[in-house]
Amino acid sequence: MLERITKSITSASIFLAGYFLLNIALRIALPHTLDLDEAEQSFYSQYLLAGYGPQPPFYNWIQYAIVSVTGISMWVLSVPKNIILFGCYLFYGLAAREVLKSRSLAAVAMLSLITLPQVGLMAQRELTHTVALLFATSLFLFGFFRTLRQPTIGSYLLIGIATGIGLISKYNFAILPFAALVAVLPEREWRSRLIDWRLLPAAVLAILIVLPHALWLPDNLASASAPTLERMTAEHLAPAGLPRIGQGLLSLVIAVLGFVALPIVLIAAAFRRDFFRALSSSSPMIRVNERMMVISLIAFVGVVLFAGASDIHERWLDPCLLVLLIYLFLKLETADFDLSAGLARFRPVVPVFMVVILSILLFRIVGIQYIGTYTRTNVPFSGYVAELTATRKPVLIVAGTKFVAGNMRLEFPDVPVVIPFFPGPGVPEYADAKGPVLVIWRGETADDPTISPGFANDLVKSGIHLQELKTLTLPYLFGDGKRSFSIGYSWMEGGAK
């Protein structure tokens, strides 16, 4: 059965489609409380903007376009994400097919993406912008390898589309096209691809895709870059000077090992001696892949040395190291061994990982009382809404955070949900509200719903003066009943005055 699935990209894609349908069904079956990234998408889907803050807007634009047609729902948040993830796997398989002679090996390379923790588990758990980045990276690799093997105007335009999408998905995508360009330079047979006239329309296409966000970026550079720089530098944890550089380089090494260790161990265990013997094999395509990864990692070393980064996250390496699996299978194929025994041992890894990932996604929510660490999805938002709106419905909701705003937006799809001073200084919704206004927030901790000074100050600046502050505490969903989550709220009648 598994051998038939991995005979071609088509059969492997059908198998993957069934897996992603299961992921959608599981997310719909679990509580509809949104995690942080889901809540951001729910809240942002009210607006079509050139930029939304620290993350580029591609995923937000996709979500806005769908929500504007269908309305907000758990389905609308879950289905597009899984389609984009499926596209990541599909184009990765097509990229593998461009460089691998064996169709079966290309299908296995595509399915093996699930063994990368950042792709298999983390992308399903809570990420959104990174999902778009993974899709753009796979699309770029497909266009890039197709252009090296058999250049056409279509393959160049594909590179342009992928580059444009990647740059407005995550800023670190910029490393990939740069690394690919430099990696090709030493190869005489492919160097001409870099001075081909078809590269010009590809560049124009990428610029047109990026242009709306690029025009927004200069005036909003602080809001777009400050949160990421703060996470990277971790100033409150890292000392200055050489100790910070040392911590940053160590963090990079740990991130690389965390990214590559699991799939390398699994492939080595499956192919055994052949894997280690194949490490010495080489070809022009292998060398290009090696240079791409090395150049990308050197770029991150530069970020550590010159930007003061001291905390590198694994997911930031997605555009740099996603090609790893194609590279490893290319090494194995180039060595010209009989890989049938290794493939037979590796194929069962994929369905096992699928079962394990689905089990983790389920158990981290429904088995939370045995784990002890409660997730945002265990927060009982539907229970809050049932109690808060038993006697009246809001015409406007003012939320303290995107987590709260996104969840309230899902619960009240026809009610505007706003955060003070987002998306700009103009806040006509407060003054124009005709009816009950619900102001709602969460505190710094789960059991402390105290309103934050920043949110309280923003409310006053917006002309909202709270009359009575109340709290509502409910136990976590699927918890042991002993631990609860509290929110703060205040009702205002007759508009925000």
Side-chain angles (χ1 to χ4, degrees):
M1 175 64 178
L2 289 174
E3 187 174 356
R4 288 198 298 272
I5 289 171
T6 56
K7 279 292 185 184
S8 68
I9 296 294
T10 301
S11 57
S13 298
I14 295 171
F15 181 62
L16 275 172
Y19 169 68
F20 284 112
L21 287 173
L22 288 176
N23 273 280
I24 293 171
L26 177 61
R27 186 62 189 96
I28 299 301
L30 288 171
H32 286 195
T33 300
L34 305 178
D35 212 327
L36 185 58
D37 276 20
E38 292 174 328
E40 285 186 350
Q41 293 304 318
S42 174
F43 171 65
Y44 287 151
S45 67
Q46 299 174 103
Y47 310 98
L48 179 60
L49 305 173
Y52 295 81
Q55 300 288 0
F58 177 72
Y59 198 100
N60 302 105
W61 290 347
I62 296 295
Q63 198 71 75
Y64 173 85
I66 298 172
V67 169
S68 64
V69 173
T70 65
I72 190 70
S73 70
M74 197 69 245
W75 286 94
V76 171
L77 294 172
S78 180
V79 172
K81 174 178 176 175
N82 279 276
I83 291 176
I84 295 172
L85 263 178
F86 174 73
C88 166
Y89 281 77
L90 177 61
F91 283 110
Y92 196 82
L94 293 175
R97 196 171 66 178
E98 291 297 321
V99 300
L100 294 168
K101 298 174 184 176
S102 168
R103 293 292 181 259
S104 179
L105 208 58
V108 171
M110 176 178 74
L111 293 172
S112 67
L113 267 182
I114 201 170
T115 66
L116 286 171
Q118 291 299 317
V119 181
L121 178 60
M122 298 306 297
Q124 276 293 356
R125 252 185 58 179
E126 54 188 344
L127 303 178
T128 52
H129 298 284
T130 298
V131 169
L133 172 69
L134 292 169
F135 170 80
T137 301
S138 291
L139 186 63
F140 179 90
L141 293 175
F142 173 46
F144 177 64
F145 292 147
R146 169 62 70 91
T147 299
L148 293 184
R149 190 180 67 84
Q150 189 178 357
T152 63
I153 184 63
S155 69
Y156 275 96
L157 292 179
L158 202 60
I159 291 176
I161 293 170
T163 300
I165 291 175
L167 291 174
I168 57 172
S169 295
K170 282 277 194 176
Y171 298 124
N172 59 324
F173 178 87
I175 294 174
L176 178 59
F178 170 77
L181 184 150
V182 176
V184 170
L185 283 174
E187 300 296 331
R188 188 189 312 174
E189 62 176 302
W190 291 330
R191 203 177 299 152
S192 61
R193 307 287 196 269
L194 304 178
I195 55 174
D196 194 299
W197 69 268
R198 290 168 289 193
L199 194 59
L200 181 60
V204 170
L205 188 56
I207 291 171
L208 290 175
I209 293 172
V210 173
L211 190 60
H213 183 61
L215 294 175
W216 171 91
L217 196 57
D219 294 332
N220 298 274
L221 195 58
S223 64
S225 60
T228 300
L229 291 174
E230 184 178 345
R231 287 195 298 270
M232 289 177 65
T233 55
E235 292 183 2
H236 61 293
L237 297 175
L242 289 178
R244 171 171 289 185
I245 292 175
Q247 181 172 320
L249 293 176
L250 178 62
S251 172
L252 176 59
V253 170
I254 293 172
V256 170
L257 292 175
F259 194 102
V260 307
L262 183 58
I264 288 178
V265 168
L266 291 170
I267 294 173
F271 291 92
R272 300 178 183 176
R273 288 181 56 193
D274 288 344
F275 174 80
F276 296 100
R277 291 160 59 196
L279 292 178
S280 61
S281 62
S282 185
S283 70
M285 187 63 74
I286 287 175
R287 291 194 295 270
V288 166
N289 279 274
E290 287 171 343
R291 293 189 199 108
M292 285 172 61
M293 290 186 284
V294 170
I295 292 166
S296 297
L297 293 178
I298 289 174
F300 269 95
V301 171
V303 171
V304 171
L305 295 178
F306 302 110
S310 60
D311 186 19
I312 306 298
H313 294 193
E314 287 178 32
R315 64 179 178 272
W316 296 346
L317 303 177
D318 284 340
C320 309
L321 298 178
L322 196 70
V323 75
L324 173 72
L325 297 167
I326 292 177
Y327 167 74
L328 292 177
F329 284 108
L330 185 58
K331 281 262 189 185
L332 286 165
E333 185 179 65
T334 304
D336 201 24
F337 300 135
D338 180 3
L339 302 178
S340 56
L343 285 173
R345 286 188 289 265
F346 186 79
R347 286 188 184 101
V349 169
V350 173
V352 168
F353 263 71
M354 289 178 173
V355 172
V356 169
I357 289 170
L358 289 169
S359 300
I360 291 173
L361 295 174
L362 174 64
F363 191 74
R364 67 186 287 264
I365 307 300
V366 302
I368 201 67
Q369 58 180 301
Y370 306 108
I371 301 173
T373 303
Y374 288 79
T375 72
R376 294 184 184 91
T377 311
N378 292 100
V379 176
F381 261 99
S382 58
Y384 296 143
V385 168
E387 294 209 22
L388 289 173
T389 62
T391 59
R392 51 184 165 178
K393 307 292 185 197
V395 298
L396 172 69
I397 298 171
V398 183
T401 63
K402 287 176 285 187
F403 171 63
V404 175
N407 275 283
M408 297 305 290
R409 162 85 167 144
L410 184 64
E411 296 289 343
F412 294 97
D414 299 322
V415 176
V417 181
V418 297
I419 293 176
F421 305 107
F422 182 90
V427 285
E429 298 96 338
Y430 307 150
D432 295 342
K434 305 298 182 183
V437 175
L438 175 62
V439 182
I440 183 169
W441 61 90
R442 62 157 298 180
E444 291 295 325
T445 62
D447 57 356
D448 180 14
T450 303
I451 189 170
S452 70
F455 181 49
N457 189 48
D458 285 343
L459 291 175
V460 172
K461 289 180 179 179
S462 302
I464 298 178
H465 301 276
L466 303 181
Q467 303 299 318
E468 185 179 7
L469 278 63
K470 297 182 179 180
T471 64
L472 179 58
T473 301
L474 291 175
Y476 280 103
L477 300 173
F478 300 106
D480 55 11
K482 298 177 182 178
R483 293 189 59 183
S484 304
F485 192 94
S486 301
I487 59 166
Y489 70 97
S490 180
W491 281 100
M492 300 182 61
E493 295 295 337
K497 296 180 181 178

